Amino acid sequence: MKTHYFLLMIFFLFSQMEPGAGILTSLGRRTDQYRCLQHGGFCLRSSCPSHTRLQGTCKPDKPNCCRS
């Protein structure tokens, strides 16, 4: 009987319908910082230098993603 409760709990844990509520929702997604670096950008806490442009953010700290 404990096995049934355990399997039921696992089922509900992994089948959350709201985005961000389920455990498996973040698997396979890239972080903003990773995407910034992959596209040739870099993360700065201050504003972007004059020879670069703002490309987005590098969450969770939300520094700027700058790109030349």
Side-chain angles (χ1 to χ4, degrees):
M1 195 66 173
K2 288 181 183 181
T3 306
H4 293 274
Y5 285 119
F6 178 73
L7 292 175
L8 188 63
M9 180 185 69
I10 295 296
F11 173 75
F12 283 118
L13 206 65
F14 290 115
S15 66
Q16 297 292 324
M17 299 309 275
E18 296 178 21
I23 290 177
L24 294 179
T25 55
S26 63
L27 293 179
R29 292 185 185 170
R30 302 290 186 186
T31 62
D32 290 337
Q33 182 179 11
Y34 177 83
R35 279 186 261 147
C36 177
L37 297 175
Q38 283 298 105
H39 294 296
F42 54 94
C43 299
L44 286 177
R45 290 195 182 274
S46 61
S47 60
C48 295
S50 60
H51 64 281
T52 62
R53 61 187 167 149
L54 180 64
Q55 193 69 23
T57 60
C58 299
K59 296 175 186 172
D61 298 316
K62 295 191 180 185
N64 296 323
C65 175
C66 304
R67 185 174 172 193
S68 339

